Amino acid sequence: MHEAEDQAGIPHPRLGFYGVIDERLDLPLLDTVAEARPDWHIVLVGPVVKIDPASLPRRPNIHYFGQRSYDDLPRYLAGWDVCLLPFARNDATRFISPTKTLEYMAAELPS
């Protein structure tokens, strides 16, 4: 499968996440990883909800793609080296059971 054209120009390694970008994500962690490893590229695919978009970490190696259709997601995954589950440890995630784990496993990428 060919990867999504709009991410094709992003260098590897690519660490990807798709899903809603909200208070459940550990944004400081993503920022710290991006700062510590500027050669790693973090790809985030999904809508920003319940948080101010201005609060998102902004670095040259963090790439936001916004909401995409479910049919497009396999093309993003096809270009990733690692899948991320960057959920924070807070009340919003205390009892979370992310189905994304199974989706990532089906894509046969490390997570």
Side-chain angles (χ1 to χ4, degrees):
M1 173 174 292
H2 296 290
E3 72 172 293
E5 289 183 21
D6 56 353
Q7 80 172 0
I10 297 172
H12 289 265
R14 293 186 200 142
L15 295 72
F17 169 82
Y18 67 76
V20 175
I21 299 169
D22 61 15
E23 78 282 357
R24 295 174 298 168
L25 294 190
D26 192 335
L27 297 176
L29 173 66
L30 291 174
D31 189 47
T32 299
V33 169
E35 179 181 31
R37 295 304 304 253
D39 55 320
W40 292 1
H41 289 266
I42 299 171
V43 176
L44 302 167
V45 178
V48 177
V49 299
K50 298 183 188 175
I51 60 172
D52 182 357
S55 70
L56 299 174
R58 303 286 179 182
R59 295 194 179 272
N61 59 335
I62 300 178
H63 310 273
Y64 297 97
F65 285 96
Q67 186 167 349
R68 297 294 190 263
S69 74
Y70 284 113
D71 290 340
D72 289 337
L73 296 180
R75 286 189 283 281
Y76 285 92
L77 282 163
W80 296 351
D81 300 295
V82 173
C83 295
L84 298 176
L85 287 172
F87 291 113
R89 296 183 72 186
N90 60 32
D91 288 340
T93 63
R94 173 173 267 164
F95 300 107
I96 198 167
S97 177
T99 57
K100 204 166 306 314
T101 303
L102 299 175
E103 294 169 357
Y104 286 168
M105 288 173 66
E108 297 182 350
L109 289 173
S111 57

